[in-house]
């Protein structure tokens, strides 16, 4: 089958949807992305550890790769007594904004639509039709669910599979390079830095700054701090924003309830070592995400595929959520080529390896979380 006659409908316009979009376009497919948010996506998730699958996806799509992040040459483990344990380890650290920006600029505006809320789909013999809340319908040869943890596509296909709270949250923050005391900045600059204590840890790395800048002095310090909360008695309050709205999984920058933010800052001043205390104190708009687990038994459904966090959600300790989305898209493009763009055959061939990858990362993330005792610890912020 000639790929020029094939059209993919991608539900979800974040990183997973863009990986699918740019990779399928690279093999000759027409691709249209439909994003539910009416607003430009921005600053979701902060930092990203750059993995080889992301670089490979960019290479295949013809996106420049020479300036994708900040290099950290060592890991630092800070000690309570002020000491530092050093471990040589070279890694490239990037940001959600930079990856999104590069891919979005390489995907045609006329094929990226926002404010499009999927309500249903109708599979047919040789096509599948997406139905949107505004009454429009779009028909294609392949529909890709890349719509994240709250995936509508997954809910329609596998209604009993939903993300499960892992027992702890990740407080997160970004600090402009120029806003941190130079002596503290020297510890954090171009180092992957950790501080570990019972039932918790906090980490930091430098990432591109606003507008994707890699210029010295214009970058950002990105930090993540894991803290336990009981799902029934504490989590609802943490995930209620400053307007009183209960969020499903996260509170974005600038929207944390003042009391929750004050408690977090007070707790940081009590339990963190001085460099991290000052980093948290310098953060203007912290945000918070519930840590989730999700695994599913099936990713391919005739002409429908689930990718990225719509399928498996590995915990952030794996540093693999973004790279998994890239790997899903790379493997899908390869399978379509190998099977002469026959979608059902390609998806059957694609599914096995991607289920195995998702299951491996899902289980590894749980193991890493368990080893840090996040799910069983009691060390948390007191009201």
């Amino acid at each position: 089958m000639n790929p020029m006659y094939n059209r993919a409908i991608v539900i979800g316009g974040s990183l997973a949807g863009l990986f699918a979009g740019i990779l399928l376009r690279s093999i000759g497919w027409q691709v249209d992305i439909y994003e539910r948010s009416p607003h430009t996506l921005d600053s979701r998730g902060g930092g990203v550890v750059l993995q080889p699958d992301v670089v490979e996806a960019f290479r295949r799509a013809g996106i420049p790769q020479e300036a994708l992040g900040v290099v950290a040459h060592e890991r630092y483990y800070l000690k309570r007594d002020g000491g530092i344990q050093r471990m040589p380890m070279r890694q490239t650290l990037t940001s959600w904004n930079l990856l999104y920006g590069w891919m979005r600029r390489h995907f045609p505006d006329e094929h990226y639509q926002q404010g499009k809320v999927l309500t249903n789909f109708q599979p047919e013999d040789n096509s599948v039709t997406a139905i949107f809340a505004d009454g429009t319908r779009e028909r294609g040869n392949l529909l890709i669910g890349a719509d994240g943890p709250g995936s509508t596509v997954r809910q329609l296909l596998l209604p009993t599979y939903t993300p499960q709270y892992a027992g702890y949250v990740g407080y997160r923050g970004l600090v402009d390079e120029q806003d941190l005391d130079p002596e503290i900045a020297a510890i954090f600059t171009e180092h992957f830095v950790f501080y570990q204590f019972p039932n918790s840890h906090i980490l930091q790395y430098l990432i591109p700054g606003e507008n994707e800048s890699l210029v010295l002095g214009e970058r950002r310090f990105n930090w993540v701090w894991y803290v336990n909360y009981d799902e029934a008695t504490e989590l609802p309050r943490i995930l209620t924003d400053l307007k009183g709205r209960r969020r499903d999984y996260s509170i974005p920058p600038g929207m944390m309830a003042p009391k929750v933010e004050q408690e977090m800052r007070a707790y940081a001043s009590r339990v963190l070592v001085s460099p991290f205390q000052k980093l948290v104190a310098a953060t203007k708009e912290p945000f918070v995400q519930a840590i989730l687990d999700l695994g599913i038994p099936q990713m391919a459904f005739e002409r429908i595929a689930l990718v990225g966090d719509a399928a498996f959600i590995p915990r952030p300790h794996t540093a693999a959520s973004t790279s998994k989305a890239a790997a899903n898209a790379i493997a899908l493009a390869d399978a379509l080529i190998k099977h002469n763009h026959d979608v059902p055959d390609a998806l059957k061939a694609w599914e096995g390896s991607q289920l195995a990858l998702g299951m491996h990362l899902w289980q590894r993330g749980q193991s890493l979380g368990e080893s840090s005792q996040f799910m069983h610890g009691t060390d948390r912020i007191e009201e």
Side-chain angles (χ1 to χ4, degrees), residues 15 19 45-55 68-70 72 75 89-96 99 172 192 194 203-208 222 224 226 316-324 326:
L15 298 188
F19 278 125
V48 175
V49 178
L50 190 66
Q51 304 283 16
D53 284 319
V54 174
V55 177
L68 292 183
V70 179
R75 287 195 170 192
M89 183 176 291
R90 189 181 189 277
Q91 290 180 283
T92 300
L93 297 319
T94 188
S95 67
W96 186 97
L99 298 179
R172 307 193 67 158
F192 204 138
F194 296 80
L203 60 89
Q204 177 281 155
Y205 50 87
L206 197 62
I207 64 172
N222 167 80
V224 187
Y226 300 107
H317 322 302
T318 64
S321 180
T322 299
S323 64
K324 176 175 60 66

Side-chain angles (χ1 to χ4, degrees), residues 150-202:
S151 171
T152 300
V153 180
R154 186 191 65 249
Q155 290 171 12
L156 292 168
L157 293 167
L158 299 168
T160 62
Y161 289 84
T162 58
Q164 301 298 307
Y165 175 55
Y168 54 104
V169 305
Y171 284 105
R172 307 193 67 158
L174 298 168
V175 177
D176 290 342
E177 199 170 9
Q178 61 188 1
D179 291 344
L180 197 62
D181 178 87
E183 184 176 346
I184 301 302
I187 296 173
F188 291 133
T189 298
E190 297 176 10
H191 302 126
F192 204 138
V193 185
F194 296 80
Y195 173 60
Q196 299 171 311
F197 57 102
N199 305 315
S200 184
H201 74 255
I202 186 169

Side-chain angles (χ1 to χ4, degrees), residues 111-267:
H111 293 289
Y112 187 104
Q113 296 191 41
Q114 294 181 244
K116 300 288 289 188
V117 178
L118 181 78
T119 57
N120 210 337
F121 50 75
Q122 292 179 345
E124 300 171 22
D125 289 342
N126 297 309
S127 66
V128 58
T129 298
I131 303 169
F132 296 94
D134 61 6
T136 59
R137 302 164 71 95
E138 299 291 341
R139 184 169 174 263
N141 306 91
L142 168 65
L143 186 144
I144 297 174
D147 45 347
S151 171
T152 300
V153 180
R154 186 191 65 249
Q155 290 171 12
L156 292 168
L157 293 167
L158 299 168
T160 62
Y161 289 84
T162 58
Q164 301 298 307
Y165 175 55
Y168 54 104
V169 305
Y171 284 105
R172 307 193 67 158
L174 298 168
V175 177
D176 290 342
E177 199 170 9
Q178 61 188 1
D179 291 344
L180 197 62
D181 178 87
E183 184 176 346
I184 301 302
I187 296 173
F188 291 133
T189 298
E190 297 176 10
H191 302 126
F192 204 138
V193 185
F194 296 80
Y195 173 60
Q196 299 171 311
F197 57 102
N199 305 315
S200 184
H201 74 255
I202 186 169
L203 60 89
Q204 177 281 155
Y205 50 87
L206 197 62
I207 64 172
E210 190 175 6
N211 300 320
E212 308 166 25
S213 177
L214 289 165
V215 175
L216 183 68
E218 296 181 2
R219 300 169 298 183
R220 285 174 169 170
F221 298 102
N222 167 80
W223 60 267
V224 187
W225 180 19
Y226 300 107
V227 179
N228 295 285
Y229 286 105
D230 181 78
E231 183 171 13
T233 63
E234 298 173 305
L235 186 64
R237 184 176 67 89
I238 302 304
L239 293 182
T240 298
D241 67 22
L242 61 79
K243 295 184 178 180
R245 175 188 170 191
R246 170 64 159 88
R247 303 273 183 149
D248 289 334
Y249 307 119
S250 64
I251 303 289
M255 290 298 293
M256 282 180 63
K259 189 170 187 295
V260 173
E261 181 178 340
Q262 290 165 10
E263 290 170 359
M264 182 273 291
R265 292 183 183 277
Y267 188 50

